[in-house]
Amino acid sequence: MKIGYSFWGFLGDGITDTPDGGRSHRRTLTDGLIAAGHTVVFLQQDRDRDEAHQPVTGPYAWDQGLPDIDALFLEWRWPIPGRNDTPCTAPGHTCDLHRQQQLLDHYTYHQGVPTLLWDKDQHLAPADPLRRIKHLTVCEPALHPRHGATSLLFPVADHTLHTADPEALAARPRRWPLVYVGNQYGRDPAFTTFFAPPARHLDHVVAGKWTHTRRWPHVNFTGRVPFAQGIELHRQAHATVMLAPTRYATSGQYTQRIFESVLAGCAPITPAHYRAASIVIPGELHAYDGAHVADITRTLISMPTGDRARLLERCIGRLDPFRLSRQLHTIGQVFDQHQGADNGKLTHRTTRNR
């Protein structure tokens, strides 16, 4: 198929001042689709070229027109006040939302093109009329997706899992007992319970956009760091904590930090209440509070290299649900169920996001 792919972010390292977490897996997914025989055309702005000034080479194509496609794949965008809900001529405006609406109007509503809407941040309202379109499937990167959505997890390449070396990772020297790489967005309760208490006693660093930090004066916040530096922080750390907004924890949505940390040899300590934790995290890394996080971290620091290698081997094995081949299978099933269906021409237009 020829798949039109809409995303607002980067394929490469991009720029530092952005919350785009898709850099860890978007290129993996695109390369997998191409290797499976599909043609992929990107339908948003080429931000690697225009903003990062580092064009990504490879079998990639961008088209800001309305090319003929067989299927539409949307990384869902939502209104961000003062950024993408303003007139196109306004200072600081980004046109991702307007462009997404244009794609929906043209392909989904008028042409009846099979559409996969990947709600990566769980922002699509439960009653949104898009959920009722027969040739549109909503996916969430959660093990227990909500509102009838289909599970489509953040992918990690099968080859990466097959070649990961737990013994080499375990033998690597590490500077930090505890790190967190990621932004604040809805994580205050989890941070207060699971990270701030052990941070009083363990050397640590928190990298990302955290704008309201007065309640944690003892925490070492460094601000946003380049994407590659965030990966390096995991390579230098014994442990991190899978902090998540409540909506992620209750649906079993694990961000890309799960495989970024594990594949760097950084143990992913996870709040025990996090849904599906028993599936993706070994039990000895489940924590019940901040004191427990500190105890687990100290155990990791003193753990013999052989024991640590065996733990990391188990962590790598638990990444199986995220492997690329599984996600490609899901995407194939989504589009196959719409192929050949007589969807007709939809006559109504949405006024959302106008």
Side-chain angles (χ1 to χ4, degrees):
M1 295 190 302
K2 184 175 183 179
I3 300 173
Y5 191 146
S6 170
F7 72 90
W8 187 251
F10 302 92
L11 291 180
D13 286 349
I15 58 177
T16 300
D17 190 21
T18 176
D20 178 33
R23 288 170 292 188
S24 68
H25 56 265
R26 186 177 293 121
R27 193 169 181 177
T28 296
L29 181 60
T30 301
D31 289 347
L33 289 169
I34 293 172
H38 303 295
T39 299
V40 178
V41 56
F42 299 127
L43 300 175
Q44 293 268 6
Q45 177 186 343
D46 182 355
R47 297 180 69 196
D48 291 280
R49 180 197 64 193
D50 298 341
E51 296 181 35
H53 307 297
Q54 294 178 333
V56 175
T57 59
Y60 311 120
W62 282 260
D63 192 326
Q64 290 187 266
L66 296 169
D68 289 334
I69 59 175
D70 301 310
L72 178 63
F73 188 111
L74 301 170
E75 289 190 19
W76 187 244
R77 303 298 298 165
W78 61 95
I80 301 174
R83 185 186 303 174
N84 61 11
D85 65 346
T86 57
C88 296
T89 56
H93 174 80
T94 61
C95 222
D96 52 304
L97 197 63
H98 293 166
R99 174 61 168 168
Q100 179 175 267
Q101 190 64 53
Q102 181 187 35
L103 299 174
L104 282 168
D105 288 345
H106 180 77
Y107 294 117
T108 307
Y109 285 108
H110 293 320
Q111 292 192 352
V113 170
T115 301
L116 189 157
L117 189 162
W118 200 13
D119 189 13
K120 298 173 72 173
D121 295 89
Q122 297 190 14
H123 280 309
L124 187 70
D128 194 295
L130 284 168
R131 296 185 186 273
R132 298 195 296 271
I133 296 177
K134 291 184 179 180
H135 58 279
L136 182 148
T137 297
V138 176
C139 294
E140 291 181 353
L143 289 162
H144 298 276
R146 312 161 309 149
H147 315 305
T150 296
S151 176
L152 179 62
L153 305 181
F154 298 130
V156 59
D158 293 48
H159 176 75
T160 299
L161 295 180
H162 294 159
T163 57
D165 186 343
E167 292 183 0
L169 293 172
R172 184 185 180 95
R174 298 188 180 268
R175 158 72 177 85
W176 301 100
L178 194 63
V179 302
Y180 183 75
V181 180
N183 299 319
Q184 188 165 11
Y185 310 143
R187 290 175 170 83
D188 285 21
F191 189 86
T192 299
T193 301
F194 292 96
F195 197 97
R200 293 187 179 277
H201 310 289
L202 298 172
D203 206 7
H204 67 277
V205 63
V206 176
K209 184 179 180 181
W210 290 73
T211 54
H212 304 288
T213 61
R214 293 179 62 183
R215 72 178 79 176
W216 311 297
H218 64 286
V219 174
N220 178 23
F221 293 99
T222 64
R224 278 181 169 160
V225 297
F227 178 70
Q229 187 176 334
I231 299 296
E232 183 59 28
L233 278 174
H234 284 125
R235 292 194 183 106
Q236 296 176 2
H238 288 277
T240 186
V241 184
M242 295 291 103
L243 303 176
T246 300
R247 66 186 186 278
Y248 290 3
T250 56
S251 63
Q253 174 166 330
Y254 293 81
T255 72
Q256 66 279 1
R257 304 302 178 207
I258 181 71
F259 49 81
E260 287 179 357
S261 59
V262 169
L263 295 172
C266 176
I269 300 174
T270 302
H273 71 273
Y274 210 132
R275 192 171 183 181
S278 61
I279 296 175
V280 298
I281 308 289
E284 57 263 56
L285 296 178
H286 297 182
Y288 292 92
D289 54 27
H292 198 187
V293 170
D295 289 344
I296 295 171
T297 303
R298 293 188 182 101
T299 298
L300 291 166
I301 292 171
S302 62
M303 185 177 287
T305 301
D307 291 346
R308 187 179 183 90
R310 285 186 284 274
L311 174 61
L312 289 174
E313 184 176 24
R314 292 170 56 215
C315 289
I316 294 167
R318 298 292 185 97
L319 294 178
D320 184 76
F322 301 91
R323 64 174 57 237
L324 173 63
S325 56
R326 292 185 180 276
Q327 314 322 313
L328 293 177
H329 180 71
T330 297
I331 293 170
Q333 285 186 317
V334 167
F335 286 138
D336 284 348
Q337 72 183 355
H338 299 310
Q339 290 297 311
D342 183 15
N343 297 310
K345 300 287 186 178
L346 300 184
T347 58
H348 73 281
R349 290 176 61 90
T350 180
T351 57
R352 294 178 312 107
N353 305 337
R354 289 298 193 190

